[in-house]
Amino acid sequence: MIKRRDFIKQSLQATGALALGVAWSSCEKPKKISGTIGTPNYKIGHLLRNISLPQTTGIIKTDCVVIGGGVSGLAASRKLKQLNLDHVLLELENKTDGNAQAGQTSVGAYPFGAHYVTVPTLYDKEYLDFLQSCKLITAFEKGLPVLNDYHVCFDLKERLYIHGQWQEGLLPLQGLSKEELEGMKRFDEQTYFYKNYTGKDGLPAFTLPLAYSSRDPELLQLDTISFAAWLQSKNIYGKALYWYLNYCMADDYGGTIDSVSAWAGLHYFASHQAKAFNVDEDAVLTWPEGNNWLIQQLKQQAGANIKTGQLVYQVEEKSNALHLRVFDIEAGNWVLYETQHIISCVPQFVNQYMLQGIDRKVNTQAYTYAPWVVANAVVDTDAMHGFGAELAWDNVIYNNDSLGYVHANHQQLAQRSINGKSNITYYKPLVKQDAKAARESMMKTSYQQWYDSIVADLTIPHPLIESNLHQLDVWLWGHGMIQPSVGFITRPTAKLDKQSYRHKIHFAHTDLVGISVFEEGFYAGTQAALQVLQA
């Protein structure tokens, strides 16, 4: 994304000229390529809705059971190990990773989900310690972290395909009217204000983790209206600006400026006040496999007490202990776990089935999860350069429903192209219709239909893409991330939803706070582990 402090500067420097595009066409027939379509193991997960309970084949006792192997679950397991608390982590899938899945082709690794983190704030000391343990922070100078240059996104970071050519940066600036430029200026002034604003409770208006953001009632009023309504109230308009803001809301929240609250929309821009000693505040840390790199670091530090292929069906409180009925998918039998504490790191729509015997009332209708399509293509690298700026890490198509694609080989230095080929990872949140309807439609769509749709999008900037395509693998996320819709952050039950049950069952998932990023998952899992220690 564009550097926030350069927003006005670039806007006012924009000229009214439109770039002339060059049309390409190809008479070549598309070649037959290999490809797969995959999704999380939702069919087994759906067994939670209706299943018979045969006798268990054994009992396992432990001090704590962590349910879910995403960021929060692994962070909880890591902290429990540091605290020398006996525990086990149970994950439904055949591997951990949550929404930071990754894949591998002949030309390297690629992400199937989350793929970067931003410059860390100084609030979460546990997170800073983790980044140091991974050698992502190499030192501190003048109180600021020194980030490992090897993991900071290399140039060229971003480019946008607009008016028939590529431009560096994602903010569309070509051919804007004076009124549109004024709208961009007003937006930048507003975000600058909130970026430097402190609430009446002494906390910054917006930061990460959200626990350190202000709870000033005046600021929280922003959650009661949509981002679009707030923009209009500030007389901020402009087709190009609205496209850019919708792109940002889809990128982080799987929503639009009409569905996301003004509080969440402003958080996206105003929370990036973190500073590092050696890089700009808008720098990102990224890897060929995306955030799966961080997942592997967490997994290594969490230890060997992780069991995959485990369906946790029923949790009951009996004789001052918690009993969990767990189906071991590979072994094909039921096991009973007895524990004093549970850390549940799964979404609330899963908890409602898993915790039927627990008196915890959560209105799951308030939770909207955005469905996503992610695809990775193996392509001839030279075909991706096009006109204008060279192939970047993040490559976005103006006025397109997709978010474009990431060049997964970008961080591989001299090996950005292997045998002339690269991985490009395409992202598309389904924000055009109701999330439930989009999810149902997504699961019924065939591989060939996804192939045709994805290739059609990529053909816009790369007319010869299909004849330079060697492999296309598709991954479907039915519940990709929580959407911070209007009123969600300040919903009346927000505090109750997060509250531990009788100091025995602790909840740690990013859907509870409304923003699905690595930092929030790490914070939630770590805090839950500390709650176990305190209890």
Side-chain angles (χ1 to χ4, degrees):
M1 70 192 65
I2 188 170
K3 295 179 183 179
R4 276 70 175 178
R5 64 170 177 267
D6 291 342
F7 200 111
I8 298 176
K9 179 182 175 183
Q10 291 195 28
S11 299
L12 297 181
Q13 289 177 346
T15 66
L18 295 179
L20 296 177
V22 181
W24 280 20
S25 62
S26 172
C27 296
E28 295 182 46
K29 292 182 179 179
K31 54 191 162 189
K32 187 176 181 179
I33 67 167
S34 61
T36 60
I37 186 168
T39 185
N41 205 344
Y42 73 96
K43 289 185 178 179
I44 292 180
H46 284 179
L47 290 175
L48 284 171
R49 298 177 181 177
N50 185 22
I51 198 171
S52 59
L53 284 176
Q55 292 296 315
T56 54
T57 58
I59 184 169
I60 298 175
K61 294 185 179 183
T62 184
D63 291 338
C64 182
V65 174
V66 179
I67 305 173
V71 176
S72 55
L74 290 170
S77 182
R78 170 184 179 269
K79 192 60 187 177
L80 290 171
K81 182 184 179 185
Q82 289 181 348
L83 298 171
N84 293 317
L85 293 175
D86 180 50
H87 71 285
V88 63
L89 185 152
L90 305 178
E91 164 61 37
L92 172 64
E93 302 292 328
N94 60 9
K95 60 180 178 180
T96 58
D97 298 354
N99 66 0
Q101 301 277 348
Q104 183 82 28
T105 70
S106 60
V107 297
Y110 62 87
F112 255 156
H115 54 285
Y116 68 92
V117 293
T118 56
V119 174
T121 68
L122 300 180
Y123 294 106
D124 190 351
K125 303 302 182 185
E126 295 276 359
Y127 183 52
L128 294 175
D129 288 345
F130 169 66
L131 296 182
Q132 283 185 283
S133 71
C134 301
K135 296 182 171 52
L136 295 176
I137 294 178
T138 58
F140 280 86
E141 293 285 347
K142 297 182 179 180
L144 297 177
V146 178
L147 300 183
N148 189 329
D149 287 330
Y150 182 77
H151 301 284
V152 176
C153 185
F154 304 145
D155 288 334
L156 182 67
K157 182 182 170 188
E158 299 161 329
R159 66 175 181 171
L160 176 69
Y161 187 77
I162 182 171
H163 304 316
Q165 74 170 20
W166 290 102
Q167 66 157 57
E168 184 175 347
L170 297 187
L171 190 66
L173 298 173
Q174 300 179 29
L176 300 185
S177 66
K178 180 181 177 180
E179 290 74 17
E180 287 180 302
L181 290 173
E182 284 298 320
M184 289 187 174
K185 181 180 178 181
R186 283 193 292 274
F187 179 73
D188 189 60
E189 290 170 347
Q190 287 291 325
T191 54
Y192 181 82
F193 169 79
Y194 282 112
K195 188 174 181 179
N196 295 279
Y197 186 77
T198 300
K200 294 183 178 64
D201 51 10
L203 295 174
F206 303 100
T207 192
L208 286 174
L210 263 64
Y212 295 98
S213 291
S214 175
R215 303 299 294 179
D216 187 327
E218 290 186 15
L219 288 168
L220 294 180
Q221 278 295 311
L222 293 165
D223 188 54
T224 64
I225 61 173
S226 71
F227 196 20
W230 177 85
L231 290 166
Q232 293 159 15
S233 73
K234 299 297 181 182
N235 197 29
I236 298 172
Y237 295 94
K239 179 182 177 182
L241 175 62
Y242 275 28
W243 170 84
Y244 175 69
L245 298 180
N246 271 313
Y247 162 82
C248 294
M249 297 305 97
D251 184 32
D252 257 30
Y253 305 141
T256 66
I257 60 174
D258 293 300
S259 63
V260 167
S261 80
W263 191 97
L266 286 167
H267 184 278
Y268 179 92
F269 291 94
S271 64
H272 291 269
Q273 78 276 49
K275 291 179 171 55
F277 182 76
N278 59 325
V279 299
D280 292 335
E281 64 188 33
D282 68 327
V284 299
L285 296 165
T286 187
W287 305 266
E289 64 270 47
N291 287 8
N292 194 262
W293 189 92
L294 291 168
I295 288 287
Q296 299 310 315
Q297 309 302 309
L298 278 176
K299 192 184 303 184
Q300 182 179 3
Q301 295 182 27
N305 47 351
I306 297 173
K307 294 186 177 183
T308 57
Q310 308 293 308
L311 173 65
V312 180
Y313 173 68
Q314 188 181 68
V315 175
E316 296 178 300
E317 188 177 19
K318 291 188 175 181
S319 303
N320 296 320
L322 296 167
H323 287 188
L324 298 86
R325 287 180 179 269
V326 179
F327 183 66
D328 187 318
I329 297 171
E330 184 174 350
N333 57 29
W334 289 88
V335 178
L336 182 68
Y337 282 81
E338 182 178 302
T339 185
Q340 295 301 310
H341 293 276
I342 290 173
I343 299 178
S344 178
C345 302
V346 298
Q348 305 318 304
F349 67 87
V350 176
N351 277 327
Q352 71 171 334
Y353 294 107
M354 191 174 67
L355 303 176
Q356 291 184 46
I358 301 299
D359 184 21
R360 176 181 182 253
K361 294 179 176 62
V362 174
N363 177 20
T364 56
Q365 298 301 314
Y367 292 74
T368 300
Y369 300 87
W372 280 67
V373 179
V374 183
N376 188 77
V378 178
V379 298
D380 294 323
T381 309
D382 289 344
M384 307 309 293
H385 289 289
F387 305 103
E390 66 183 50
L391 180 59
W393 170 67
D394 195 12
N395 307 267
V396 179
I397 307 167
Y398 179 67
N399 218 18
N400 186 260
D401 289 344
S402 78
L403 300 181
Y405 63 89
V406 167
H407 181 211
N409 297 75
H410 191 74
Q411 293 297 106
Q412 293 181 196
L413 295 174
Q415 291 185 313
R416 288 188 177 182
S417 178
I418 298 177
N419 296 324
K421 300 181 180 65
S422 289
N423 285 321
I424 65 164
T425 308
Y426 164 99
Y427 290 85
K428 185 172 185 174
L430 305 181
V431 300
K432 290 289 187 176
Q433 62 184 131
D434 170 77
K436 182 179 179 182
R439 191 155 39 245
E440 292 173 351
S441 174
M442 176 179 73
M443 293 303 179
K444 294 175 183 177
T445 303
S446 69
Y447 171 82
Q448 186 60 49
Q449 289 172 312
W450 285 123
Y451 172 91
D452 293 341
S453 173
I454 293 163
V455 170
D457 280 345
L458 295 176
T459 298
I460 296 171
H462 305 294
L464 301 177
I465 183 71
E466 195 164 23
S467 60
N468 290 277
L469 184 61
H470 301 274
Q471 181 177 335
L472 183 71
D473 297 302
V474 180
W475 189 264
L476 308 178
W477 290 104
H479 300 80
M481 60 176 63
I482 185 67
Q483 186 183 105
S485 53
V486 176
F488 183 81
I489 302 295
T490 55
R491 65 193 186 281
T493 61
K495 187 175 181 180
L496 188 62
D497 289 356
K498 301 173 193 174
Q499 190 173 6
S500 296
Y501 171 77
R502 294 165 62 92
H503 305 291
K504 291 183 177 182
I505 304 178
H506 315 273
F507 300 97
H509 194 275
T510 55
D511 67 353
L512 289 166
V513 295
I515 294 182
S516 180
V517 294
F518 185 92
E519 296 90 333
E520 289 295 338
F522 183 93
Y523 179 81
T526 301
Q527 292 303 307
L530 292 172
Q531 288 174 2
V532 171
L533 177 67
Q534 292 167 1

